[in-house]
Amino acid sequence: MLYIYSVTISPIIEEYICRGIIFKKLSSKFSFRLSALLSSIVFAIPHFNLSGFIGYVFVGFIWCWYYQKSNNLLIPIFSHALFNFTTILIMSLKG
C-alpha cells in the first residue's frame, strides 16, 4: 500500500501544494529562483530526512522549473511519480 501511495497519491498532493499553490503564489511576487527555493524547502521539510534534505530541495527546484516551463502541473506530477517509482525499485533491489 505504501508503494501505491508513494507513486500515485503522494506526487499529486505534494505537487499540487508545493508547485500548484506555494510556488505559483510566490512566483507572482518574487523571482523564479527565490520562489523555487522557498517552495522546495517547504517540499523537503515534511520528508523528515536531514541527510537527504539538500536532495529534496534540488528535485523540488527541478520540478518548479518543469512547472514554470510547461505551465502544466502534470509534468512535475509525472516526473515526481517516476522519481518515487525509481527510488522504490532501487531500494527493493538492494534488499
Side-chain angles (χ1 to χ4, degrees):
M1 197 63 169
L2 178 64
Y3 297 134
I4 293 169
Y5 174 80
S6 295
V7 175
T8 58
I9 297 166
S10 174
I12 293 169
I13 293 170
E14 291 177 3
E15 293 307 315
Y16 176 73
I17 292 168
C18 293
R19 259 51 76 189
I21 296 173
I22 297 171
F23 172 72
K24 190 173 184 177
K25 184 74 170 175
L26 288 170
S27 64
S28 70
K29 297 178 182 183
F30 303 106
S31 70
F32 167 79
R33 287 182 182 172
L34 181 58
S35 302
L37 178 63
L38 293 175
S39 66
S40 297
I41 289 170
V42 170
F43 168 74
I45 290 171
H47 287 89
F48 306 111
N49 184 339
L50 190 57
S51 64
F53 186 80
I54 298 298
Y56 285 115
V57 171
F58 178 76
V59 295
F61 200 95
I62 296 299
W63 292 328
C64 286
W65 186 79
Y66 286 169
Y67 180 54
Q68 172 105 0
K69 291 295 179 186
S70 68
N71 199 30
N72 183 345
L73 197 55
L74 290 176
I75 304 301
I77 289 172
F78 285 130
S79 178
H80 191 152
L82 182 61
F83 177 84
N84 286 359
F85 174 79
T86 305
T87 302
I88 291 168
L89 181 63
I90 290 169
M91 289 171 48
S92 297
L93 292 174
K94 284 185 175 181

